[in-house]
Amino acid sequence: MTLTNRNMCTGISRRTALKGVAGVAVAAGFAPVRSATGQIAPVKVGFLLPYSGTYAALGNNITEAFKLYVEERGGKLGGRPVEYVAVDDESDPGKAADNTNKLVTRDKVDVIVGTVHSGVQLGVSKVARDTNSLLIIPNAGVNAATGSLCASGIFRSSFSNWQPGYPMGRVMVERGHKRAVTLTWKYAGGEEILGGFKEGYEKAGGKVVEELYLPFPNTEFQALLTKIAEIKPDAVFVFFAGGGAVKFVKDYHAAGLRKSIPLYSTGFLTDGTLKAQGEAAEGLLTTLHYGDGLDTPKDNAFRTAFEARGKGEADVYAVQGYDAAQMLAAGLDAVKGDVGARADLVKGIERATIDSPRGPFTVGKNHNPIQDIYLREVKNGKNIVVGVAAKALMDPGRGCKLA
Ligand code: PHB
């Protein structure tokens, strides 16, 4: 038998329960959960990620890198072994609440690590908040997750949708592009990333003259490319990622638009996709909280270790998965694995400086990373960092009331 913090719901205090079952005196300080035989019980991590569809590669890299960090720590966080369950969320918002409830109620996980798709995240975050679950978001940028839906047990290791596009606005205006068309999938992720861009672009003096959309995860771009050619803006700013990003970059190139109407995006367009995009991606400028060629000891070690697993190259998604594990470790180390000591666990993450391959970061009051946004250029199949578009950029956390 193992005990989890959910024993608190029975009305017996968790510490009394522990004492009764395992005979462990825990009054002074923290203690990890033990089974009746005295074994330290594993921390149960529930991955809720896309393992199929256009975002499958993203979910896989997050999972692999999370496991890599745990293995580097000898398989233990906060002194406890780690056990995993994984659910494919299929990037389907309609299944988000059920899938999250399954992890909480059926699997009784100690922490949920999920997800990638902003629309799914809305459902996941609502359930996590209602059940007071610990949740670490390893990608989905939906602003509400660290805004109106923020909660003390909800952290993000990635970005808010506002963050990566906002600084590109100024970059494009400085490059002389005053009239832009935007294009993305019509769902929270696409709309909000373009919203962050538009805010930065119009503040810098640019004007978005047309906002074009297609349904997620549709990749029939031809009619929209024809429309862009007719409008003749100074530049185009898009959001696509994963399989859809590969197809879009190839189609834009094949349509012969690259020279006449320069293409810009957040780095999601070209991260983890460059091998498949090939020549079509060369020269693209993007903004993101990660890039190639950082050449720091931390990033070099991370990339080597990730690639040694034989599941492909590291990218931004792998970094976010690795850092989700580092954040969990910071919390569990602070309470010696005692997940019931929630307030101290949360403080442990809030106070940590995460030694990320992207560069060290801390989280803001809304639990979203405060981080540099790099300007990157695709050169010889790599997203080479060519500058910093915004230093220590903090999400505004609109609507979040965490003190
Ligand atoms: C999102 O839906 O928030 C999202 C998905 C994929 C990305 C970035 C953001 O690469």
Coordinates of all heavy atoms in Angstrom, one line a residue, residues 212-298:
L212 N -5.4 36.4 -41.3 CA -6.0 35.2 -42.0 C -5.9 34.0 -41.1 O -4.9 33.8 -40.4 CB -5.2 35.0 -43.3 CG -5.2 36.1 -44.3 CD1 -4.2 35.8 -45.5 CD2 -6.6 36.4 -44.9
Y213 N -6.9 33.1 -41.3 CA -6.9 31.9 -40.4 C -7.3 30.7 -41.3 O -8.0 30.8 -42.3 CB -8.0 32.0 -39.4 CG -7.7 33.1 -38.4 CD1 -8.3 34.4 -38.5 CD2 -6.8 32.9 -37.3 CE1 -8.0 35.4 -37.6 CE2 -6.6 33.9 -36.4 CZ -7.2 35.2 -36.6 OH -6.9 36.2 -35.7
L214 N -6.9 29.5 -40.8 CA -7.5 28.2 -41.2 C -7.7 27.3 -40.0 O -7.1 27.6 -39.0 CB -6.7 27.6 -42.4 CG -5.4 26.9 -42.1 CD1 -5.0 26.1 -43.3 CD2 -4.3 27.9 -41.7
P215 N -8.6 26.4 -40.1 CA -8.9 25.5 -38.9 C -7.7 24.7 -38.5 O -7.0 24.2 -39.4 CB -10.1 24.6 -39.3 CG -10.6 25.2 -40.6 CD -9.5 26.0 -41.3
F216 N -7.5 24.4 -37.2 CA -6.5 23.5 -36.8 C -6.9 22.1 -37.0 O -8.1 21.7 -36.8 CB -6.3 23.7 -35.2 CG -5.3 22.8 -34.6 CD1 -3.9 23.1 -34.6 CD2 -5.7 21.5 -34.1 CE1 -3.0 22.2 -34.1 CE2 -4.8 20.7 -33.5 CZ -3.4 21.0 -33.5
P217 N -6.1 21.2 -37.5 CA -4.7 21.3 -37.9 C -4.6 21.3 -39.5 O -3.6 20.7 -40.0 CB -4.0 20.1 -37.3 CG -5.1 19.0 -37.4 CD -6.4 19.7 -37.4
N218 N -5.5 21.9 -40.1 CA -5.6 22.0 -41.6 C -4.3 22.5 -42.2 O -3.7 23.4 -41.7 CB -6.7 22.9 -42.0 CG -7.1 22.8 -43.4 OD1 -6.3 22.7 -44.3 ND2 -8.4 22.8 -43.6
T219 N -3.8 21.9 -43.3 CA -2.6 22.4 -44.0 C -2.8 22.7 -45.5 O -1.9 22.6 -46.3 CB -1.5 21.3 -43.9 OG1 -1.9 20.1 -44.3 CG2 -1.0 21.2 -42.4
E220 N -4.1 23.0 -45.8 CA -4.4 23.4 -47.2 C -4.1 24.9 -47.4 O -5.0 25.7 -47.2 CB -5.8 23.0 -47.6 CG -6.1 21.5 -47.6 CD -5.1 20.8 -48.5 OE1 -4.9 21.2 -49.6 OE2 -4.6 19.7 -48.0
F221 N -2.9 25.3 -47.7 CA -2.5 26.7 -47.6 C -2.7 27.5 -48.9 O -2.5 28.7 -48.9 CB -1.0 26.8 -47.2 CG -0.7 26.2 -45.8 CD1 0.1 25.1 -45.7 CD2 -1.3 26.7 -44.7 CE1 0.4 24.6 -44.4 CE2 -1.1 26.2 -43.4 CZ -0.2 25.1 -43.3
Q222 N -2.9 26.8 -50.0 CA -2.8 27.4 -51.3 C -3.7 28.7 -51.5 O -3.2 29.7 -51.9 CB -3.1 26.4 -52.5 CG -2.0 25.5 -52.8 CD -0.6 26.2 -52.9 OE1 -0.5 27.3 -53.4 NE2 0.4 25.5 -52.4
A223 N -5.0 28.6 -51.1 CA -5.9 29.7 -51.3 C -5.4 30.9 -50.5 O -5.5 32.1 -50.9 CB -7.3 29.3 -50.9
L224 N -4.8 30.6 -49.3 CA -4.4 31.7 -48.4 C -3.1 32.4 -49.0 O -2.9 33.6 -48.9 CB -4.1 31.2 -47.0 CG -5.5 30.8 -46.4 CD1 -5.2 29.8 -45.2 CD2 -6.2 32.0 -45.8
L225 N -2.2 31.6 -49.6 CA -1.0 32.1 -50.2 C -1.4 33.0 -51.4 O -0.8 34.0 -51.6 CB -0.1 31.0 -50.6 CG 0.5 30.1 -49.5 CD1 1.4 29.0 -50.0 CD2 1.3 31.0 -48.5
T226 N -2.4 32.6 -52.1 CA -2.8 33.4 -53.3 C -3.3 34.7 -52.8 O -3.1 35.8 -53.3 CB -4.0 32.7 -54.0 OG1 -3.5 31.4 -54.4 CG2 -4.4 33.4 -55.2
K227 N -4.1 34.7 -51.7 CA -4.6 35.9 -51.1 C -3.5 36.9 -50.6 O -3.5 38.1 -50.8 CB -5.5 35.5 -49.9 CG -6.3 36.6 -49.3 CD -7.7 36.2 -48.9 CE -8.6 37.4 -48.7 NZ -9.7 37.1 -47.8
I228 N -2.5 36.3 -50.0 CA -1.3 37.1 -49.5 C -0.6 37.8 -50.7 O -0.3 38.9 -50.7 CB -0.3 36.2 -48.7 CG1 -0.9 35.8 -47.4 CG2 1.0 36.9 -48.6 CD1 -0.2 34.7 -46.6
A229 N -0.5 37.0 -51.8 CA 0.2 37.6 -53.0 C -0.7 38.7 -53.6 O -0.1 39.7 -54.1 CB 0.3 36.5 -54.1
E230 N -2.0 38.6 -53.4 CA -2.8 39.7 -53.9 C -2.7 41.0 -53.0 O -2.7 42.1 -53.5 CB -4.3 39.3 -53.9 CG -4.7 38.4 -55.1 CD -6.0 37.7 -54.9 OE1 -6.8 38.0 -53.9 OE2 -6.3 36.7 -55.6
I231 N -2.7 40.8 -51.7 CA -2.6 41.9 -50.7 C -1.3 42.6 -50.8 O -1.2 43.8 -50.6 CB -2.9 41.4 -49.3 CG1 -4.3 40.7 -49.2 CG2 -2.8 42.5 -48.3 CD1 -4.5 40.0 -47.8
K232 N -0.2 41.9 -51.1 CA 1.1 42.4 -51.2 C 1.5 43.2 -50.0 O 1.9 44.4 -50.1 CB 1.3 43.4 -52.5 CG 1.2 42.7 -53.8 CD 1.6 43.6 -54.9 CE 1.5 43.0 -56.3 NZ 0.1 42.7 -56.7
P233 N 1.5 42.6 -48.8 CA 2.0 43.4 -47.6 C 3.5 43.5 -47.7 O 4.2 42.8 -48.5 CB 1.5 42.5 -46.5 CG 1.6 41.1 -47.1 CD 1.2 41.3 -48.5
D234 N 4.1 44.3 -46.7 CA 5.5 44.4 -46.6 C 6.1 43.0 -46.1 O 7.3 42.7 -46.4 CB 5.9 45.5 -45.6 CG 5.5 46.8 -46.1 OD1 5.2 47.0 -47.3 OD2 5.5 47.7 -45.2
A235 N 5.4 42.3 -45.3 CA 5.9 41.1 -44.7 C 4.7 40.3 -44.2 O 3.6 40.8 -44.0 CB 6.8 41.4 -43.5
V236 N 4.9 39.0 -43.9 CA 3.9 38.1 -43.3 C 4.5 37.6 -42.0 O 5.7 37.2 -41.9 CB 3.7 36.9 -44.3 CG1 2.8 35.9 -43.6 CG2 3.0 37.4 -45.5
F237 N 3.6 37.5 -41.0 CA 4.0 36.9 -39.7 C 3.0 35.7 -39.4 O 1.8 35.9 -39.5 CB 3.9 37.9 -38.5 CG 4.3 37.3 -37.2 CD1 5.7 37.3 -36.8 CD2 3.4 36.7 -36.4 CE1 6.1 36.8 -35.6 CE2 3.8 36.1 -35.2 CZ 5.1 36.2 -34.8
V238 N 3.5 34.5 -39.2 CA 2.7 33.4 -39.0 C 3.0 32.6 -37.7 O 4.1 32.8 -37.1 CB 2.8 32.3 -40.2 CG1 2.5 33.0 -41.5 CG2 4.2 31.7 -40.2
F239 N 2.0 31.8 -37.3 CA 2.3 30.8 -36.3 C 1.9 29.4 -36.8 O 0.7 29.3 -37.1 CB 1.6 31.0 -34.9 CG 1.6 29.8 -34.1 CD1 2.8 29.4 -33.4 CD2 0.5 28.9 -34.0 CE1 2.8 28.2 -32.7 CE2 0.5 27.7 -33.3 CZ 1.7 27.4 -32.6
F240 N 2.8 28.5 -37.0 CA 2.5 27.1 -37.2 C 3.6 26.4 -36.4 O 4.7 26.9 -36.2 CB 2.6 26.7 -38.7 CG 1.4 27.4 -39.4 CD1 1.7 28.4 -40.3 CD2 0.1 26.9 -39.3 CE1 0.6 29.0 -41.0 CE2 -0.9 27.5 -40.0 CZ -0.7 28.6 -40.8
A241 N 3.4 25.1 -36.1 CA 4.4 24.3 -35.4 C 4.2 22.8 -35.8 O 3.2 22.5 -36.4 CB 4.2 24.4 -33.9
G242 N 5.2 22.0 -35.5 CA 5.2 20.6 -35.8 C 5.0 20.3 -37.3 O 5.6 21.0 -38.1
G243 N 4.2 19.3 -37.6 CA 4.0 18.8 -38.9 C 3.5 19.9 -39.8 O 3.9 20.1 -41.0
G244 N 2.6 20.7 -39.3 CA 2.0 21.8 -40.1 C 3.0 22.9 -40.5 O 2.9 23.5 -41.6
A245 N 4.0 23.1 -39.6 CA 5.1 24.1 -39.9 C 5.9 23.6 -41.0 O 6.4 24.4 -41.9 CB 5.9 24.3 -38.6
V246 N 6.2 22.3 -41.1 CA 7.0 21.8 -42.2 C 6.3 22.1 -43.5 O 6.9 22.6 -44.4 CB 7.2 20.2 -42.0 CG1 7.9 19.7 -43.2 CG2 8.0 19.9 -40.7
K247 N 5.0 21.8 -43.6 CA 4.3 21.9 -44.8 C 4.2 23.4 -45.2 O 4.4 23.8 -46.4 CB 2.9 21.3 -44.7 CG 2.0 21.6 -45.8 CD 1.7 20.3 -46.6 CE 0.8 20.4 -47.8 NZ 0.1 21.6 -48.1
F248 N 3.9 24.3 -44.2 CA 3.8 25.7 -44.5 C 5.0 26.3 -45.1 O 5.0 27.0 -46.1 CB 3.3 26.5 -43.3 CG 3.1 28.0 -43.7 CD1 2.0 28.4 -44.4 CD2 4.1 28.9 -43.4 CE1 1.8 29.7 -44.8 CE2 4.0 30.2 -43.8 CZ 2.8 30.6 -44.5
V249 N 6.2 26.0 -44.5 CA 7.4 26.6 -45.0 C 7.8 26.2 -46.4 O 8.2 26.9 -47.2 CB 8.6 26.3 -44.0 CG1 9.9 26.6 -44.6 CG2 8.4 27.1 -42.7
K250 N 7.5 24.9 -46.6 CA 7.7 24.4 -48.0 C 6.8 25.0 -49.0 O 7.2 25.4 -50.1 CB 7.6 22.8 -48.0 CG 8.7 22.1 -47.3 CD 8.5 20.7 -47.4 CE 9.8 19.9 -47.4 NZ 9.5 18.5 -47.5
D251 N 5.5 25.1 -48.6 CA 4.5 25.7 -49.6 C 4.8 27.2 -49.8 O 4.7 27.7 -51.0 CB 3.1 25.6 -49.0 CG 2.6 24.1 -49.1 OD1 3.3 23.3 -49.5 OD2 1.4 23.9 -48.7
Y252 N 5.2 27.9 -48.8 CA 5.5 29.4 -49.0 C 6.7 29.6 -50.0 O 6.7 30.4 -50.8 CB 5.8 30.0 -47.6 CG 5.7 31.5 -47.6 CD1 4.5 32.1 -47.3 CD2 6.8 32.4 -47.9 CE1 4.3 33.5 -47.3 CE2 6.6 33.7 -47.9 CZ 5.4 34.3 -47.6 OH 5.2 35.7 -47.6
H253 N 7.7 28.7 -49.8 CA 8.9 28.7 -50.6 C 8.5 28.3 -52.1 O 8.8 29.0 -53.0 CB 9.9 27.8 -50.1 CG 11.2 27.8 -50.8 ND1 11.6 26.8 -51.7 CD2 12.2 28.7 -50.7 CE1 12.8 27.1 -52.1 NE2 13.2 28.3 -51.6
A254 N 7.7 27.3 -52.2 CA 7.3 26.8 -53.5 C 6.5 27.8 -54.3 O 6.5 27.9 -55.5 CB 6.6 25.4 -53.4
A255 N 5.7 28.6 -53.5 CA 4.8 29.6 -54.2 C 5.7 30.8 -54.7 O 5.1 31.7 -55.3 CB 3.8 30.1 -53.2
G256 N 7.0 30.8 -54.4 CA 7.8 31.8 -54.9 C 7.7 33.2 -54.1 O 8.0 34.2 -54.7
L257 N 7.2 33.1 -52.9 CA 6.9 34.4 -52.2 C 8.0 34.9 -51.3 O 8.0 36.0 -50.8 CB 5.6 34.2 -51.3 CG 4.3 34.0 -52.0 CD1 3.2 33.6 -51.0 CD2 3.9 35.3 -52.7
R258 N 9.0 34.0 -51.1 CA 10.0 34.4 -50.1 C 10.7 35.7 -50.4 O 11.0 36.5 -49.5 CB 11.1 33.3 -50.0 CG 10.7 32.1 -49.1 CD 10.6 32.4 -47.6 NE 11.8 32.9 -47.1 CZ 12.9 32.2 -46.7 NH1 12.8 30.9 -46.8 NH2 13.9 32.8 -46.2
K259 N 11.0 36.0 -51.6 CA 11.8 37.2 -52.0 C 10.9 38.4 -52.0 O 11.3 39.5 -51.5 CB 12.4 37.0 -53.4 CG 13.6 36.1 -53.4 CD 14.7 36.7 -54.3 CE 16.0 35.9 -54.1 NZ 15.9 34.5 -54.6
S260 N 9.7 38.3 -52.5 CA 8.8 39.5 -52.6 C 8.1 39.9 -51.3 O 7.9 41.0 -51.0 CB 7.8 39.3 -53.7 OG 7.1 38.0 -53.5
I261 N 7.8 38.9 -50.5 CA 7.1 39.1 -49.2 C 7.8 38.3 -48.1 O 7.5 37.1 -47.9 CB 5.6 38.8 -49.3 CG1 4.9 39.4 -50.6 CG2 4.9 39.2 -48.0 CD1 3.5 39.0 -50.8
P262 N 8.7 39.0 -47.4 CA 9.5 38.2 -46.4 C 8.6 37.6 -45.3 O 7.6 38.2 -44.9 CB 10.4 39.3 -45.8 CG 10.4 40.4 -46.7 CD 9.1 40.4 -47.5
L263 N 9.0 36.4 -44.9 CA 8.2 35.6 -43.9 C 8.9 35.7 -42.5 O 10.1 35.4 -42.4 CB 8.1 34.2 -44.4 CG 7.5 33.1 -43.5 CD1 6.0 33.5 -43.3 CD2 7.6 31.7 -44.1
Y264 N 8.1 36.0 -41.5 CA 8.6 36.0 -40.1 C 7.7 35.1 -39.3 O 6.5 34.9 -39.6 CB 8.6 37.4 -39.6 CG 9.6 38.3 -40.2 CD1 9.3 39.0 -41.4 CD2 10.9 38.5 -39.7 CE1 10.2 39.8 -42.0 CE2 11.8 39.3 -40.3 CZ 11.4 40.0 -41.5 OH 12.4 40.8 -42.1
S265 N 8.2 34.7 -38.1 CA 7.4 33.9 -37.2 C 8.1 33.8 -35.8 O 9.2 34.3 -35.7 CB 7.3 32.5 -37.8 OG 6.5 31.6 -37.0
T266 N 7.4 33.2 -34.9 CA 8.1 32.7 -33.7 C 8.9 31.5 -34.1 O 8.6 30.8 -35.1 CB 7.1 32.3 -32.6 OG1 6.2 31.4 -33.1 CG2 6.3 33.5 -32.1
G267 N 9.8 31.1 -33.2 CA 10.7 30.0 -33.5 C 10.1 28.6 -33.6 O 10.7 27.7 -34.1
F268 N 8.8 28.6 -33.3 CA 8.1 27.3 -33.4 C 8.0 26.8 -34.8 O 7.9 25.6 -35.1 CB 6.7 27.4 -32.8 CG 6.7 27.9 -31.4 CD1 6.0 29.1 -31.0 CD2 7.4 27.2 -30.4 CE1 6.1 29.5 -29.7 CE2 7.4 27.6 -29.1 CZ 6.7 28.8 -28.7
L269 N 8.1 27.8 -35.7 CA 8.0 27.5 -37.2 C 9.2 26.6 -37.6 O 9.1 25.8 -38.6 CB 7.9 28.8 -38.0 CG 7.6 28.6 -39.5 CD1 6.1 28.2 -39.6 CD2 7.9 29.8 -40.3
T270 N 10.3 26.8 -37.0 CA 11.6 26.2 -37.4 C 12.3 25.3 -36.4 O 13.4 24.9 -36.6 CB 12.5 27.3 -38.0 OG1 12.8 28.2 -36.9 CG2 12.0 28.0 -39.2
D271 N 11.6 25.1 -35.2 CA 12.3 24.3 -34.2 C 11.8 22.8 -34.3 O 10.6 22.6 -34.3 CB 12.0 24.8 -32.8 CG 13.3 25.2 -32.1 OD1 13.9 26.2 -32.4 OD2 13.7 24.4 -31.2
G272 N 12.8 21.9 -34.4 CA 12.5 20.5 -34.6 C 12.0 20.2 -36.0 O 11.5 19.0 -36.2
T273 N 12.0 21.1 -36.9 CA 11.4 20.9 -38.2 C 12.4 21.1 -39.4 O 12.1 20.9 -40.5 CB 10.3 21.9 -38.4 OG1 10.8 23.2 -38.2 CG2 9.1 21.7 -37.5
L274 N 13.6 21.6 -39.0 CA 14.5 22.1 -40.1 C 15.0 21.0 -41.0 O 15.1 21.2 -42.2 CB 15.7 22.8 -39.5 CG 15.4 24.2 -39.0 CD1 16.7 24.8 -38.4 CD2 15.0 25.1 -40.1
K275 N 15.2 19.8 -40.5 CA 15.6 18.7 -41.4 C 14.6 18.4 -42.5 O 14.9 18.3 -43.6 CB 15.8 17.4 -40.5 CG 17.2 17.2 -40.0 CD 17.5 15.7 -39.9 CE 18.9 15.6 -39.4 NZ 19.0 15.6 -37.9
A276 N 13.3 18.4 -42.1 CA 12.2 18.2 -43.1 C 12.0 19.4 -44.0 O 11.6 19.2 -45.1 CB 11.0 17.8 -42.3
Q277 N 12.3 20.6 -43.5 CA 12.0 21.8 -44.3 C 13.1 22.1 -45.3 O 12.9 22.7 -46.4 CB 11.8 23.0 -43.4 CG 10.5 23.0 -42.6 CD 10.5 23.9 -41.4 OE1 11.6 24.3 -40.9 NE2 9.3 24.3 -41.0
G278 N 14.4 21.7 -45.0 CA 15.5 21.8 -45.9 C 15.7 23.2 -46.3 O 15.6 24.2 -45.6
E279 N 16.1 23.3 -47.6 CA 16.4 24.6 -48.3 C 15.3 25.7 -48.1 O 15.6 26.9 -48.0 CB 16.5 24.3 -49.8 CG 17.0 25.4 -50.7 CD 18.4 25.9 -50.3 OE1 19.2 25.1 -49.6 OE2 18.7 27.1 -50.6
A280 N 14.0 25.2 -48.0 CA 12.9 26.2 -47.9 C 13.0 27.1 -46.7 O 12.3 28.1 -46.7 CB 11.6 25.4 -48.0
A281 N 13.7 26.6 -45.7 CA 13.7 27.4 -44.4 C 14.9 28.3 -44.3 O 14.9 29.2 -43.4 CB 13.7 26.5 -43.2
E282 N 15.9 28.2 -45.2 CA 17.1 28.9 -45.1 C 16.8 30.4 -45.1 O 16.1 31.0 -45.9 CB 18.1 28.6 -46.2 CG 18.8 27.3 -46.1 CD 19.7 27.3 -44.9 OE1 20.6 28.2 -44.7 OE2 19.6 26.3 -44.0
G283 N 17.5 31.1 -44.1 CA 17.3 32.6 -44.0 C 16.2 33.1 -43.2 O 16.1 34.3 -42.9
L284 N 15.3 32.2 -42.8 CA 14.1 32.7 -42.0 C 14.6 33.3 -40.6 O 15.4 32.7 -39.9 CB 13.1 31.5 -41.7 CG 12.3 31.1 -42.9 CD1 11.4 29.9 -42.5 CD2 11.4 32.2 -43.4
L285 N 13.9 34.4 -40.3 CA 14.2 35.0 -39.0 C 13.0 34.7 -38.0 O 11.9 35.0 -38.4 CB 14.3 36.5 -39.1 CG 15.6 37.1 -39.7 CD1 15.5 38.6 -39.7 CD2 16.8 36.7 -38.8
T286 N 13.3 34.3 -36.8 CA 12.3 34.0 -35.9 C 12.7 34.4 -34.5 O 13.9 34.6 -34.2 CB 12.0 32.4 -35.8 OG1 13.2 31.8 -35.4 CG2 11.5 31.9 -37.2
T287 N 11.7 34.5 -33.6 CA 12.1 34.9 -32.2 C 11.6 33.7 -31.3 O 10.5 33.2 -31.5 CB 11.4 36.2 -31.7 OG1 10.0 36.2 -32.3 CG2 12.2 37.4 -32.2
L288 N 12.4 33.4 -30.3 CA 12.1 32.3 -29.3 C 13.0 32.3 -28.1 O 14.0 33.0 -28.2 CB 12.2 31.0 -30.1 CG 11.5 29.8 -29.4 CD1 10.0 30.0 -29.5 CD2 11.8 28.4 -30.1
H289 N 12.6 31.6 -27.1 CA 13.4 31.6 -25.8 C 14.5 30.5 -25.9 O 15.0 30.2 -24.9 CB 12.5 31.4 -24.6 CG 11.5 30.2 -24.8 ND1 10.5 30.3 -25.7 CD2 11.5 29.0 -24.3 CE1 9.8 29.1 -25.7 NE2 10.4 28.3 -24.9
Y290 N 14.8 30.0 -27.1 CA 15.9 29.0 -27.2 C 16.4 29.2 -28.6 O 15.7 29.8 -29.5 CB 15.3 27.6 -27.0 CG 16.4 26.6 -27.0 CD1 17.5 26.6 -26.1 CD2 16.4 25.5 -27.8 CE1 18.4 25.7 -26.0 CE2 17.3 24.5 -27.8 CZ 18.4 24.6 -26.9 OH 19.4 23.6 -26.9
G291 N 17.6 28.6 -28.9 CA 18.1 28.6 -30.2 C 19.4 27.7 -30.3 O 19.8 27.2 -29.3
D292 N 19.9 27.6 -31.5 CA 21.1 26.8 -31.7 C 22.3 27.7 -31.6 O 22.3 28.9 -31.8 CB 21.1 26.2 -33.1 CG 19.9 25.2 -33.3 OD1 19.6 24.5 -32.4 OD2 19.4 25.1 -34.5
G293 N 23.4 27.0 -31.2 CA 24.7 27.7 -31.2 C 24.9 28.6 -29.9 O 25.7 29.5 -30.0
L294 N 24.1 28.3 -28.9 CA 24.3 29.1 -27.7 C 25.7 28.9 -27.1 O 26.3 29.8 -26.5 CB 23.2 28.8 -26.6 CG 21.8 29.3 -26.9 CD1 20.8 28.7 -25.9 CD2 21.7 30.8 -26.9
D295 N 26.1 27.7 -27.3 CA 27.5 27.3 -26.9 C 27.8 27.5 -25.5 O 28.9 28.0 -25.1 CB 28.5 27.9 -27.9 CG 29.9 27.2 -27.8 OD1 29.9 26.0 -27.5 OD2 30.9 27.8 -28.2
T296 N 26.9 27.2 -24.6 CA 27.2 27.3 -23.1 C 27.5 25.9 -22.6 O 26.9 24.9 -23.2 CB 26.0 27.9 -22.4 OG1 24.8 27.0 -22.6 CG2 25.6 29.3 -22.8
P297 N 28.2 25.7 -21.6 CA 28.5 24.4 -21.1 C 27.2 23.6 -20.8 O 27.0 22.4 -21.1 CB 29.3 24.6 -19.8 CG 29.9 26.0 -20.0 CD 29.0 26.8 -20.8
K298 N 26.2 24.3 -20.2 CA 24.9 23.7 -19.9 C 24.2 23.2 -21.1 O 23.7 22.0 -21.2 CB 24.0 24.7 -19.1 CG 22.7 24.1 -18.7 CD 22.9 23.2 -17.5 CE 21.6 22.3 -17.3 NZ 21.8 21.4 -16.2

